[in-house]
Amino acid sequence: MNFDNNIPIYIQLVEYLKKEIILGKFKIGERLPSVRDLALLLKVNPNTMQKALIELENQKLIYTERTNGKYVTEDKKIIDKIKNNYAKELTNKYFFNMKSIGFNEKEIIDYIKELEANNGTIRMY
Amino acid sequence: MNFDNNIPIYIQLVEYLKKEIILGKFKIGERLPSVRDLALLLKVNPNTMQKALIELENQKLIYTERTNGKYVTEDKKIIDKIKNNYAKELTNKYFFNMKSIGFNEKEIIDYIKELEANNGTIRMY
Amino acid sequence: MNFDNNIPIYIQLVEYLKKEIILGKFKIGERLPSVRDLALLLKVNPNTMQKALIELENQKLIYTERTNGKYVTEDKKIIDKIKNNYAKELTNKYFFNMKSIGFNEKEIIDYIKELEANNGTIRMY
Amino acid sequence: MNFDNNIPIYIQLVEYLKKEIILGKFKIGERLPSVRDLALLLKVNPNTMQKALIELENQKLIYTERTNGKYVTEDKKIIDKIKNNYAKELTNKYFFNMKSIGFNEKEIIDYIKELEANNGTIRMY
DNA sequence: GTGGTCTAGACCACG
DNA sequence: GTGGTCTAGACCACC
């Protein structure tokens, strides 16, 4: 993980793990690695990881089984809903930002097509 | 201004002022309001505003005339370049994020069209 | 059993078993199921159940016959006394808490009557 | 503050502060003492206090003004709602517990009256 | 070994 | 000085 110094690490962890779950890299109902292991894996302090996981639990994406570990929710609807909200948020934010530097909707779409045509594919950020 | 508590204010100010300049709300060569006034206007501490303006100056979007105040650059190319970089960065970031939750390029474009069809317009974020 | 994650399980087991005895679901002098079976029944670890039973034994509600198992006390007075203490404790605690959010005694009693009137019965917690 | 060792301190802090707000000891819109001062006052670690305050903020009972401090919500409705939920929860829990040791509703109310008659007032817990 | 809590102490952004 | 974040490390309940 490369962390952006301007954003709290635990928030970046939340985003990262949320994506892993949405993408199914952590499957529905699957047990997550232990807090300590996740912390080691992503090279953060266990408390920081804990804080991120509490946030994911608040969002119902994971739940805790006492002394057994943490599991991805078994409710596919929650995951789908979060995925949809996320997509909508990203898209609205993108259009908002593009408009705020002077693009209108048609221009945005043209811009995307042009980028695609030039690159074959949109370059990864 | 509504600030996101998770990102330093001065960075959000940089983004905001950059957009104002790109959009021409602060025109080429125009004198900016005083640091003090800008701070009052956006309800931030003058120190914070000062920090943001230094960053804009580093990016050559504004320059300082000693004792006279700060001015928007007179070099239109710089502004255009920053606008283009910004658009490219926003678009790449958007595609990167959408892909990271499982959309491919075609699906992203379909998603945008669908949103547009439903809303008439993309809702402001 | 649904356990409250914020209170040690063995304490919740003590409360639960105490109630069962007070209610006579485990009768005076009756032999309790084995620790192992009780643990299975309530889906806790046998060690945890053992700890709860030790506490009940300290309170003289049960006693152990070596190699034979654990029995509910044969002294009805102990059970009655614990029931009365419990009722008093619950009631005092309830009044204390209600007062600590601004109800006086009259208001508490009015509140109870009102709830009863609305529900027919007080809803199970 | 006397803390119950069997319940996490931060939860007891949440309960305590919630009551103070409901009772109006911290008034609507009033600025709370700083996190550090509250921690000193109640003799807990600042991080523990911080955790409690985050929970209160999640419940919308307080809000944070960047660098200025934390304030009691200005929305009286939220406070009233929390007070009512709290009273209902306490009452339901009380009746549930009393029933679980063999009292029916009439007996509970008789019991309260009897306690009142004997004590003049219900003894503080 | 698992998650959860707590303390101590440092550092940062902002005013 | 304010809140917020992070690390390090200890201890606890439970399995």
Side-chain angles (χ1 to χ4, degrees):
Chain A
M1 278 293 281
N2 280 336
F3 294 109
D4 176 341
N5 273 330
N6 294 317
I7 304 176
I9 291 181
Y10 81 94
I11 292 189
Q12 298 180 60
L13 292 174
V14 168
E15 294 307 293
Y16 173 75
L17 294 168
K18 203 187 277 187
K19 286 178 182 173
E20 296 292 283
I21 292 173
I22 291 175
L23 275 182
K25 293 199 183 164
F26 293 124
K27 296 199 173 44
I28 288 187
E30 183 181 333
R31 189 179 173 285
L32 294 177
S34 79
V35 178
R36 285 153 175 78
D37 287 350
L38 279 175
L40 278 176
L41 189 64
L42 298 177
K43 293 180 184 149
V44 296
N45 181 284
N47 286 333
T48 305
M49 181 55 74
Q50 174 71 358
K51 195 169 177 184
L53 292 171
I54 286 174
E55 178 60 24
L56 283 178
E57 188 151 5
N58 285 342
Q59 295 184 22
K60 310 280 185 208
L61 268 176
I62 65 176
Y63 66 92
T64 299
E65 265 189 25
R66 267 193 163 260
T67 76
N68 274 327
K70 294 175 178 293
Y71 294 78
V72 176
T73 181
E74 269 141 16
D75 185 346
K76 195 172 177 316
K77 281 182 202 161
I78 291 179
I79 296 177
D80 286 342
K81 200 179 147 207
I82 290 201
K83 175 176 169 174
N84 284 333
N85 287 347
Y86 208 169
K88 203 181 288 182
E89 185 187 316
L90 286 173
T91 307
N92 285 332
K93 226 178 220 169
Y94 172 60
F95 272 75
F96 173 68
N97 281 323
M98 288 295 277
K99 285 177 181 175
S100 76
I101 56 171
F103 286 75
N104 64 31
E105 283 188 23
K106 188 175 173 315
E107 286 165 346
I108 296 172
I109 291 172
D110 289 348
Y111 185 82
I112 291 173
K113 283 182 187 154
E114 190 190 330
L115 265 193
E116 271 192 314
N118 288 344
N119 300 2
T121 180
I122 304 285
R123 188 176 59 79
M124 286 272 291
Y125 174 64
Chain B
M1 278 292 282
N2 279 337
F3 294 107
D4 177 341
N5 272 333
N6 294 318
I7 303 176
I9 289 186
Y10 82 95
I11 291 187
Q12 298 181 60
L13 290 175
V14 168
E15 295 306 294
Y16 174 75
L17 294 169
K18 203 187 277 189
K19 286 176 183 174
E20 295 293 282
I21 292 172
I22 291 174
L23 274 181
K25 294 200 182 163
F26 294 124
K27 296 198 173 45
I28 289 187
E30 184 181 333
R31 188 177 175 284
L32 293 177
S34 75
V35 176
R36 196 192 176 78
D37 287 349
L38 278 173
L40 279 175
L41 188 64
L42 298 176
K43 291 179 185 151
V44 296
N45 184 286
N47 292 332
T48 308
M49 181 55 73
Q50 175 67 10
K51 197 166 175 182
L53 293 172
I54 288 173
E55 176 61 21
L56 283 178
E57 190 153 0
N58 286 341
Q59 296 185 21
K60 311 280 186 210
L61 268 175
I62 65 176
Y63 66 94
T64 301
E65 266 190 22
R66 267 168 69 74
T67 78
N68 265 327
K70 294 178 185 298
Y71 293 79
V72 176
T73 181
E74 271 143 13
D75 185 348
K76 193 171 181 314
K77 281 181 199 161
I78 291 179
I79 297 178
D80 284 344
K81 196 177 150 209
I82 289 198
K83 174 175 170 176
N84 283 334
N85 286 347
Y86 207 174
K88 202 181 289 181
E89 182 187 318
L90 285 173
T91 306
N92 285 333
K93 224 176 220 169
Y94 172 61
F95 272 76
F96 173 68
N97 280 323
M98 288 295 277
K99 286 177 180 175
S100 77
I101 56 170
F103 286 76
N104 63 32
E105 284 190 23
K106 187 175 173 319
E107 285 166 345
I108 295 171
I109 289 171
D110 289 347
Y111 185 81
I112 291 174
K113 284 183 186 154
E114 192 190 328
L115 265 193
E116 272 192 314
N118 288 345
N119 299 3
T121 180
I122 305 284
R123 187 177 58 79
M124 282 274 291
Y125 173 63
Chain C
M1 278 294 280
N2 278 336
F3 294 107
D4 178 340
N5 272 333
N6 295 317
I7 303 175
I9 289 186
Y10 82 93
I11 292 186
Q12 298 181 60
L13 290 175
V14 168
E15 295 306 293
Y16 174 75
L17 294 169
K18 202 188 277 188
K19 287 176 182 173
E20 295 292 284
I21 292 172
I22 291 174
L23 274 181
K25 294 199 181 164
F26 293 123
K27 295 200 172 46
I28 289 186
E30 182 181 335
R31 188 178 175 285
L32 293 177
S34 75
V35 176
R36 194 191 177 76
D37 287 349
L38 278 174
L40 279 175
L41 188 64
L42 297 177
K43 292 178 185 151
V44 297
N45 184 286
N47 293 332
T48 308
M49 180 54 75
Q50 176 68 11
K51 196 166 176 182
L53 292 172
I54 288 174
E55 177 61 22
L56 284 178
E57 191 152 359
N58 287 341
Q59 296 184 21
K60 311 280 186 208
L61 268 175
I62 65 176
Y63 65 94
T64 302
E65 264 188 26
R66 269 171 66 73
T67 77
N68 265 328
K70 295 177 183 299
Y71 293 80
V72 176
T73 180
E74 271 143 14
D75 185 347
K76 194 172 179 316
K77 282 182 199 161
I78 290 180
I79 296 178
D80 285 343
K81 199 179 146 208
I82 288 199
K83 174 174 169 175
N84 284 333
N85 286 347
Y86 206 173
K88 202 182 290 181
E89 183 187 317
L90 284 173
T91 307
N92 285 332
K93 224 178 219 170
Y94 172 61
F95 273 75
F96 173 68
N97 280 323
M98 289 295 277
K99 286 177 180 176
S100 78
I101 55 170
F103 286 76
N104 64 31
E105 284 190 22
K106 187 177 174 315
E107 286 167 344
I108 296 172
I109 290 171
D110 289 348
Y111 184 81
I112 290 174
K113 284 182 186 153
E114 190 190 329
L115 264 194
E116 272 192 313
N118 288 344
N119 299 3
T121 180
I122 305 284
R123 187 177 57 79
M124 283 273 292
Y125 174 62
Chain D
M1 280 291 283
N2 281 336
F3 294 107
D4 177 341
N5 273 331
N6 294 317
I7 304 176
I9 291 181
Y10 82 95
I11 290 190
Q12 298 181 60
L13 292 174
V14 168
E15 293 306 294
Y16 172 74
L17 294 169
K18 203 188 278 189
K19 285 177 183 174
E20 295 294 282
I21 292 172
I22 290 174
L23 276 182
K25 294 198 183 166
F26 293 124
K27 297 199 173 43
I28 290 187
E30 184 180 332
R31 188 177 174 286
L32 295 176
S34 79
V35 178
R36 286 154 174 80
D37 287 350
L38 279 174
L40 278 176
L41 189 64
L42 299 176
K43 292 179 185 147
V44 297
N45 182 283
N47 286 333
T48 306
M49 181 54 73
Q50 174 72 357
K51 195 169 177 183
L53 293 171
I54 287 175
E55 178 58 24
L56 284 179
E57 188 152 3
N58 285 342
Q59 295 184 22
K60 309 282 186 207
L61 267 176
I62 65 176
Y63 66 92
T64 299
E65 265 188 27
R66 266 192 164 259
T67 78
N68 274 327
K70 293 175 178 293
Y71 294 77
V72 176
T73 180
E74 269 140 19
D75 186 347
K76 194 171 179 314
K77 281 182 201 161
I78 291 179
I79 296 177
D80 285 343
K81 198 178 150 207
I82 290 200
K83 175 176 169 174
N84 284 334
N85 286 348
Y86 208 169
K88 202 181 288 181
E89 184 187 317
L90 285 173
T91 306
N92 285 332
K93 225 177 219 169
Y94 173 61
F95 273 75
F96 173 69
N97 280 324
M98 289 295 277
K99 287 177 179 175
S100 77
I101 56 171
F103 287 75
N104 65 30
E105 283 189 24
K106 188 176 173 316
E107 286 166 345
I108 295 172
I109 289 171
D110 289 349
Y111 184 82
I112 290 174
K113 284 183 185 152
E114 191 190 328
L115 265 193
E116 272 193 313
N118 287 344
N119 299 3
T121 179
I122 304 283
R123 186 177 59 79
M124 284 273 291
Y125 174 64

